[in-house]
Amino acid sequence: MKQQHSPIDGSQADVVLAGVEKRYGNTIALRSMDLSIERGELFALLGPSGCGKSTTLRLIAGFEQPSAGRVFVRGNDVTRIPSSKRNFGIVFQGFALFPHMTVAQNVGFGLRMRKLQKSEMKQRVMSALELVGLDHLADRYPRQLSGGQQQRAALARAIVIEPDVLVLDEPMSALDKILRDRMQVEIRRIQQRLKMTTILVTHDQEEALGMADRVGVLNGGRIEQVGTPRSIYETPRTTFVATFLGASNLLTGKVEGYDGAQAAISVAGRVISIPRGGLERGATVPLSLRPEKIRLCAHSPFMGKVKEMTYKGSTTYVEVDVNGVSFAISGDSAQIRGQHCEVGNLVGLEWDARDVVVLEDVAS
Amino acid sequence: MIPAYYKAPRTLLAILPLCFLALFFLVPVGYLFILSFVEGNAFGGAHWTFTTANYTGMLGDRFYIVIAVRTISISLIACVLNVILAFPVALFAARLQSVWKSVFLTIATVPLMVSNIVRAFGWVVILGRRGILNSVLQFFAPQMVLRQHLFSIQAICFGLLTITLPFTIMFLTNAVSGIDRKNIEAAESLGATRWGVFYHIILPLTKSALASGLMVVFFLTLSAYVTVTLLGGPRYKTLVGFIYDYSATLRWPQAAALSFVLLGIGLAFAGIVQLLVSERKK
């Protein structure tokens, strides 16, 4: 293989997609995608079904070839290299354990294909099974395992070959909620211990935010935003990102002018200032404000009538109408009760200026 | 849990076909079994005295041994050819979209819609002295023109393949389609070559279908009469041909004995195949 450096990123990048595109006939599954995944990080590809995340995964794993663009792994162009030669460990959706092999045989398969010596193979299989806590079930068949155990077996099978890249394709989809939470923590722990570059493909935003170092949000075959979980949650760039990652108040504001570095924007008949430049005076801009960033208070320029209240235990959901614009608020139940918040009452809303995010697309 | 009132009619339903089979299969076969141990007479009847001569006579005769070996060989060759030819077809067909797969399987089974006799005559037209094969060979490779391509083991095998291949293709295509595509991709991602995927994943996961296919092929070829007679001619007879000859000449006890030898061969093959399949499962 010829050593070749990626056109976009430096030596830190482990997996690089450069202008990768995938078309099936006339339908475009993936539009010119540039992505760079760093060594040792857990990168989540997040998006709804049909957004192109599975296609991206199949291109990275080598099951399919891009219609255009190149894929680099550790600086080597692997675009035309079949998956059997890429040294990727993949945990498939539904796990895809070989039904006719025991757990140990499943885990040992990749080593067998690499023609390792029996003794070394046995030792590595056992230590991989120990790592995932499955060493006592080595002789069971997949059908004799629970969902969580199957997932551990699939994970052991993927990491035992010491892959360059670990790929997790919707790894939690076959598990129930409690197990899912536990496995998220556990997979993250194992990944950090092995310092393995990992790509997580998921439609579950909690999973992506909770596990990943960085998240790439996909929509319609295009990456909308890449960033740390905190940055994409708190400063979404587009309406899609704002709404896909949890609830958000999507507001429409009008740029009235500037006061120093602060843009004055009118929302619901009031003017707020946002620390943000580069907006055209008089333009209409879409805004995002997370429900949990809004607090209730007695006096504020934003006074409104409580339209709806839903008690959810530790939090309470409130809907307030301000000048015909509806605000969703989610807050601590005790704090909200302290504000005499009841349906029909007048309450004030307040938030920190930096929590209002100006989105880049046109509000719908 | 199946309630009692539902169970009773189910047993009844099972009894009816079982009675049918008992009456029209087990009874005649039982009668045939008894017949195979009595002495025949020259007029199509039997002296009802016990003898094992019908069997020992055959086992002692080298001629019958040769015929038996030939019969088994033809069936085994058919089995091997079926696997070699049907597996690639199944691997191809299993990857087709469901509509095209149905179309493909229908086309593959078209030969079964034609009578055995017509199919065999088709081969006569191709392989005969003035057949298509010779005409073509005359043109391109005159040294390969034979007086007769018919009446040979090869001709019999070709003929039997047109009967059995549709079955094997069907069995294997369904079995290969049943394999989760992700299992194959998992094996690939773990470094398996195409051959490795076939040997370690596809073959073990289709072995019970393969066993069923092989048994169908073996039984069908073991008992094939029309194809063997038309394409093998008088020189290449198999055991079935002799059963026919015996019954045509009213030597019922010998015909019966030979039938049970054939049945024994079939059962032995089935036993071996089942043993091989289950042994690997451990």
Side-chain angles (χ1 to χ4, degrees):
Chain A
M1 219 186 313
K2 220 173 96 187
Q3 285 285 321
Q4 205 171 345
H5 274 283
S6 72
I8 348 178
D9 214 81
S11 56
Q12 277 300 320
D14 229 15
V15 178
V16 172
L17 303 189
V20 166
E21 243 177 74
K22 183 69 183 175
R23 288 182 296 270
Y24 297 101
N26 284 328
T27 38
I28 299 173
L30 220 60
R31 298 158 199 279
S32 184
M33 180 182 284
D34 292 312
L35 193 62
S36 156
I37 295 163
E38 266 150 50
R39 186 160 299 183
E41 81 170 333
L42 196 158
F43 188 94
L45 279 171
L46 175 67
S49 55
C51 70
K53 59 186 192 294
S54 300
T55 306
T56 312
L57 170 110
R58 297 182 65 76
L59 294 174
I60 293 175
F63 296 131
E64 274 172 57
Q65 301 216 326
S67 314
R70 319 210 133 264
V71 180
F72 298 89
V73 175
R74 305 210 163 155
N76 300 313
D77 185 347
V78 299
T79 316
R80 304 278 163 221
I81 292 183
S83 70
S84 59
K85 299 219 165 69
R86 287 200 186 182
N87 198 34
F88 276 25
I90 303 173
V91 174
F92 288 84
Q93 187 170 12
F95 313 135
L97 293 167
F98 306 130
H100 58 296
M101 296 184 196
T102 63
V103 169
Q105 286 167 339
N106 263 284
V107 176
F109 187 82
L111 302 176
R112 205 164 143 206
M113 293 301 107
R114 284 163 176 73
K115 300 200 167 60
L116 249 68
Q117 293 223 310
K118 275 253 162 63
S119 56
E120 194 193 344
M121 204 169 111
K122 206 169 168 185
Q123 189 204 328
R124 275 173 67 176
V125 167
M126 277 325 278
S127 63
L129 284 175
E130 270 165 36
L131 185 68
V132 299
L134 217 59
D135 41 323
H136 58 298
L137 298 175
D139 293 324
R140 295 275 184 92
Y141 282 90
R143 62 177 177 278
Q144 300 169 309
L145 302 180
S146 69
Q149 290 166 342
Q150 286 184 24
Q151 194 196 44
R152 286 161 197 271
L155 184 63
R157 183 176 71 177
I159 58 181
V160 77
I161 59 171
E162 291 171 0
D164 293 338
V165 179
L166 178 65
V167 177
L168 309 170
D169 184 10
E170 301 274 5
M172 313 293 177
S173 58
L175 306 179
D176 60 51
K177 177 84 178 88
I178 297 168
L179 200 54
R180 212 179 292 171
D181 293 345
R182 208 173 72 208
M183 288 312 292
Q184 283 177 17
V185 176
E186 199 151 330
I187 289 179
R188 177 65 168 155
R189 179 182 60 83
I190 291 170
Q191 185 264 337
Q192 287 190 318
R193 190 148 126 207
L194 300 175
K195 296 188 174 61
M196 214 170 254
T197 307
T198 302
I199 300 169
L200 168 72
V201 171
T202 182
H203 66 275
D204 182 341
Q205 40 106 359
E206 259 181 58
E207 193 174 304
L209 296 180
M211 288 175 75
D213 295 305
R214 283 195 308 149
V215 179
V217 184
L218 267 94
N219 183 31
R222 193 193 301 273
I223 287 208
E224 296 232 339
Q225 191 171 358
V226 177
T228 62
R230 181 178 290 275
S231 76
I232 59 163
Y233 182 79
E234 301 206 338
T235 51
R237 253 181 41 202
T238 63
T239 306
F240 175 80
V241 175
T243 50
F244 192 71
L245 288 135
S248 189
N249 288 295
L250 295 175
L251 308 166
T252 309
K254 193 164 172 239
V255 183
E256 302 291 351
Y258 280 95
D259 177 12
Q262 306 271 315
I265 296 176
S266 67
V267 178
R270 316 277 190 282
V271 175
I272 57 171
S273 58
I274 299 171
R276 161 91 197 229
L279 298 173
E280 203 181 316
R281 194 179 300 253
T284 305
V285 290
L287 305 169
S288 163
L289 178 57
R290 297 268 179 216
E292 71 275 11
K293 302 287 189 192
I294 305 177
R295 295 179 301 272
L296 297 184
C297 59
H299 302 287
S300 142
F302 285 86
M303 297 300 287
K305 212 176 237 179
V306 178
K307 282 200 308 192
E308 213 182 296
M309 246 180 96
T310 314
Y311 176 71
K312 289 183 172 177
S314 64
T315 60
T316 297
Y317 170 85
V318 185
E319 214 176 298
V320 176
D321 181 276
V322 180
N323 254 0
V325 177
S326 197
F327 283 80
I329 300 134
S330 159
D332 181 58
S333 290
Q335 197 259 332
I336 284 176
R337 204 172 47 218
Q339 290 301 326
H340 307 289
C341 177
E342 262 164 59
V343 175
N345 281 5
L346 211 60
V347 292
L349 308 182
E350 62 176 13
W351 54 80
D352 295 340
R354 60 182 153 80
D355 288 333
V356 179
V357 180
V358 179
L359 302 174
E360 286 176 9
D361 51 5
V362 181
S364 48
Chain B
M1 282 298 283
I2 301 155
Y5 65 84
Y6 187 65
K7 238 183 221 167
R10 278 222 310 194
T11 321
L12 276 177
L13 286 176
I15 283 175
L16 214 63
L18 283 179
C19 284
F20 178 84
L21 282 178
L23 201 64
F24 295 103
F25 182 72
L26 283 183
V27 171
V29 167
Y31 176 70
L32 218 56
F33 190 65
I34 295 167
L35 201 62
S36 71
F37 284 102
V38 301
E39 251 173 70
N41 66 21
F43 311 107
H47 302 292
W48 291 96
T49 44
F50 178 80
T51 175
T52 53
N54 298 321
Y55 289 99
T56 50
M58 273 187 279
L59 287 173
D61 193 336
R62 267 206 61 200
F63 175 72
Y64 284 104
I65 302 296
V66 169
I67 300 296
V69 167
R70 175 191 296 163
T71 307
I72 296 170
S73 308
I74 287 174
S75 291
L76 288 179
I77 291 170
C79 282
V80 171
L81 288 177
N82 260 283
V83 174
I84 294 174
L85 294 174
F87 241 125
V89 177
L91 292 176
F92 160 77
R95 296 199 65 168
L96 293 175
Q97 284 180 334
S98 64
V99 178
W100 289 112
K101 189 154 66 186
S102 307
V103 171
F104 182 85
L105 284 181
T106 310
I107 293 171
T109 48
V110 162
L112 295 180
M113 300 171 197
V114 180
S115 145
N116 261 349
I117 303 175
V118 175
R119 255 182 291 174
F121 270 118
W123 283 107
V124 172
V125 170
I126 294 170
L127 300 176
R129 189 192 296 194
R130 297 203 174 145
I132 295 168
L133 181 65
N134 265 353
S135 326
V136 174
L137 283 179
Q138 204 149 35
F139 210 74
F140 293 107
Q143 72 278 10
M144 284 179 73
V145 173
L146 298 178
R147 248 191 69 226
Q148 191 67 279
H149 292 284
L150 281 173
F151 310 143
S152 63
I153 296 277
Q154 298 93 294
I156 295 174
C157 288
F158 276 129
L160 291 175
L161 275 179
T162 43
I163 301 172
T164 54
L165 255 183
F167 289 104
T168 351
I169 288 176
M170 251 193 305
F171 278 127
L172 288 180
T173 303
N174 285 331
V176 174
S177 310
I179 297 176
D180 188 351
R181 177 98 205 110
K182 290 205 185 90
N183 270 325
I184 290 166
E185 288 179 350
E188 280 173 6
S189 75
L190 290 166
T193 57
R194 273 169 171 240
W195 168 249
V197 169
F198 177 76
Y199 184 75
H200 294 290
I201 310 296
I202 295 175
L203 200 55
L205 289 178
T206 53
K207 69 181 174 186
S208 52
L210 187 60
S212 313
L214 286 182
M215 283 195 279
V216 167
V217 172
F218 196 84
F219 300 154
L220 283 179
T221 54
L222 202 62
S223 59
Y225 176 70
V226 175
T227 315
V228 175
T229 310
L230 284 176
L231 300 177
R235 284 178 54 209
Y236 285 98
K237 280 191 151 179
T238 57
L239 286 177
V240 174
F242 285 92
I243 295 175
Y244 179 82
D245 288 354
Y246 282 137
S247 32
T249 53
L250 305 180
R251 285 182 282 176
W252 296 112
Q254 282 94 332
L258 205 48
S259 301
F260 278 99
V261 169
L262 207 60
L263 186 63
I265 293 172
L267 286 176
F269 181 79
I272 292 169
V273 167
Q274 287 301 341
L275 213 68
L276 284 177
V277 167
S278 54
E279 193 191 45
R280 294 246 302 276
K281 213 186 277 172
K282 120 177 151 186

